[in-house]
Amino acid sequence: LGWLKENGSTGKQLSIILDNCGGQNKNNFVLRLALWLVERKFFKKVEMIFYVRGHTKNACDRLFNQLKLQYHRSQVFTMGQMVQLLNSSLNVSFKEARSEDFADYGALLDKFYKKFPAGTIQRNHIFWVDDSNPTRIYTKISDEADVEVLNLQTGQYRDRVQSLQNYNLALIPAPGLKDIKQVELYTKFRKFVPFEFRDEICPRPSQQVIDNIKKARSEKARARNVRRRRSSS
């Protein structure tokens, strides 16, 4: 979203506090970003601190509730309406993520860093990287616990810094809607949407998409009939 700038200066420290959800936050993808942010010299130190399970309420939860107050009392049909509504809150600035904001960081991280050894992610709650050795990540269970050091550098690059700087992040193509969902939105749900929003939310699919669904349904029906005949014979 344009938060990282190539301006020749390095920030001092970035501290990120996250909840303990492995699917969203506590995983190889998110944690290895700390290595990249330090090695690319965006920050001298990046730390990620995870709340202990059962103690995950923080300011973010309260701000989400602030957003919901107005949202739950409103009729919202389009993304544009939602952006406008959520930005009406005095305490929250809402930024819409668009398809061009999603780059393939997974391929980048796999190229330059190993994945964490099994078990090292879930048992620990504090992770940090500093510029004294930006390919190593330090981790521990709590403030009082012993520190574990993990070297996640992969590959032997003669000019690693240059390789990182010259790496071109590819955009992830927007997946779009499956053909069947496009047809169902148009045939089943369009009539329930206010007239002025129908073409934006439930547009008519292309003729090729409609023909593809007709063909797929016809083939499925023929297969069912074959199975019935075989079972009755």
Side-chain angles (χ1 to χ4, degrees):
L1 297 178
W3 293 338
L4 301 176
K5 303 295 185 183
E6 299 276 8
N7 57 11
S9 63
T10 302
K12 290 184 179 179
Q13 179 169 323
L14 173 65
S15 298
I16 306 174
I17 300 174
L18 311 96
D19 68 32
N20 212 43
C21 177
Q24 296 175 0
N25 302 318
K26 201 175 188 184
N27 54 53
N28 272 285
F29 186 94
V30 173
L31 286 169
R32 288 185 298 169
L33 281 173
L35 295 156
W36 181 75
L37 288 169
V38 173
E39 197 166 13
R40 281 296 315 276
K41 302 186 184 302
F42 289 116
F43 298 96
K44 293 181 180 296
K45 180 179 180 180
V46 174
E47 64 176 355
M48 295 186 178
I49 303 169
F50 292 84
Y51 281 101
V52 176
R53 187 176 300 171
H55 301 273
T56 59
K57 295 298 182 184
N58 57 23
C60 290
D61 296 298
R62 293 195 296 273
L63 293 175
F64 276 119
N65 287 331
Q66 289 280 328
L67 291 175
K68 293 175 184 177
L69 287 176
Q70 189 69 17
Y71 179 80
H72 285 167
R73 294 196 296 264
S74 305
Q75 290 281 0
V76 179
F77 293 97
T78 68
M79 186 67 186
Q81 285 181 308
M82 187 171 74
V83 171
Q84 184 177 6
L85 179 68
L86 296 182
N87 270 320
S88 66
S89 172
L90 297 177
N91 301 311
V92 181
S93 178
F94 179 81
K95 175 72 174 178
E96 178 185 359
R98 298 180 175 273
S99 60
E100 58 267 23
D101 296 321
F102 292 87
D104 192 358
Y105 281 92
L108 162 69
L109 296 173
D110 287 340
K111 182 177 178 65
F112 291 98
Y113 307 105
K114 301 174 186 175
K115 292 186 177 180
F116 280 73
T120 54
I121 291 180
Q122 294 306 317
R123 71 168 175 257
N124 292 307
H125 291 85
I126 303 171
F127 301 81
W128 73 95
V129 180
D130 64 58
D131 60 358
S132 64
N133 201 330
T135 60
R136 298 194 178 201
I137 192 163
Y138 302 85
T139 181
K140 55 184 179 178
I141 297 174
S142 64
D143 283 335
E144 297 78 19
D146 293 334
V147 176
E148 185 175 2
V149 185
L150 303 172
N151 184 2
L152 299 185
Q153 177 180 338
T154 186
Q156 297 297 321
Y157 297 94
R158 292 183 177 179
D159 192 346
R160 183 177 173 86
V161 174
Q162 195 69 24
S163 297
L164 278 163
Q165 289 178 343
N166 293 338
Y167 186 90
N168 291 319
L169 274 168
L171 293 180
I172 299 175
L177 286 175
K178 293 182 179 180
D179 288 357
I180 184 65
K181 293 301 180 184
Q182 294 182 48
V183 172
E184 286 182 349
L185 278 173
Y186 183 72
T187 58
K188 295 182 179 181
F189 300 104
R190 182 180 171 93
K191 59 186 176 183
F192 299 109
V193 177
F195 183 81
E196 61 269 30
F197 305 123
R198 289 180 181 178
D199 288 338
E200 180 176 352
I201 301 174
C202 307
R204 188 183 191 280
S206 67
Q207 190 59 47
Q208 182 179 356
V209 168
I210 294 173
D211 292 341
N212 289 343
I213 295 303
K214 285 181 179 178
K215 181 179 179 181
R217 287 173 174 170
S218 177
E219 290 174 350
K220 188 178 292 185
R222 281 199 300 269
R224 282 199 304 267
N225 290 334
V226 170
R227 287 196 298 270
R228 286 172 185 169
R229 286 196 296 268
R230 287 175 178 174
S231 62
S232 63
S233 61

